[in-house]
Amino acid sequence: MKTPLLAALGISAAMLMSASGPASATDLSSLSGFLSSCQTDTRQCEAIVSDIVLAARSNHYACMPRDLSTDEAINKEMWWLQTSAKNNPQFAKMDLQDVLWTGVSDLWPCNKKA
């Protein structure tokens, strides 16, 4: 349980640092702001999603197929954000990082035995 938390804290710090730079226009305040920013700042959005995907994979937070490339995972996560999460009121008030992690969990769930 500590590993995903530590990874999440590291991702939060990276997101804040990358978003605070003068060249960054990525809105991290909400899902709708993030998706809106992604239309003009795709590289930064992909970098943020990439950080989540890589953290999830390296910390075994999700059960991603071994043959799934990082680029494919980023594309799937972006697709999930734009289709499943965008119009879901559940995610409107949720912290963006929580939404990103929810996407990873929804896309690549692990079947754990009780």
Side-chain angles (χ1 to χ4, degrees):
M1 188 66 149
K2 288 182 182 179
T3 303
L5 178 60
L6 293 175
L9 292 173
I11 298 301
S12 293
M15 287 171 62
L16 291 174
M17 288 172 41
S18 65
S20 63
S24 177
T26 305
D27 182 352
L28 301 175
S29 64
S30 66
L31 175 61
S32 62
F34 178 75
L35 292 175
S36 179
S37 295
C38 290
Q39 293 181 12
T40 56
D41 193 4
T42 56
R43 290 184 117 177
Q44 185 66 27
C45 290
E46 288 175 357
I48 290 167
V49 172
S50 176
D51 288 346
I52 295 288
V53 165
L54 292 172
R57 179 173 271 161
S58 66
N59 290 296
H60 308 289
Y61 178 78
C63 294
M64 294 178 192
R66 291 181 194 263
D67 62 344
L68 179 71
S69 73
T70 301
D71 287 340
E72 290 172 316
I74 292 168
N75 290 336
K76 285 181 184 269
E77 176 82 359
M78 289 300 296
W79 172 84
W80 182 89
L81 291 168
Q82 295 168 348
T83 59
S84 297
K86 182 179 180 179
N87 296 317
N88 186 331
Q90 170 189 349
F91 300 117
K93 294 180 183 177
M94 200 181 235
D95 179 75
L96 176 62
Q97 185 172 336
D98 291 339
V99 175
L100 293 168
W101 283 106
T102 300
V104 168
S105 295
D106 284 358
L107 288 166
W108 303 286
C110 294
N111 296 327
K112 296 183 180 182
K113 295 180 181 178

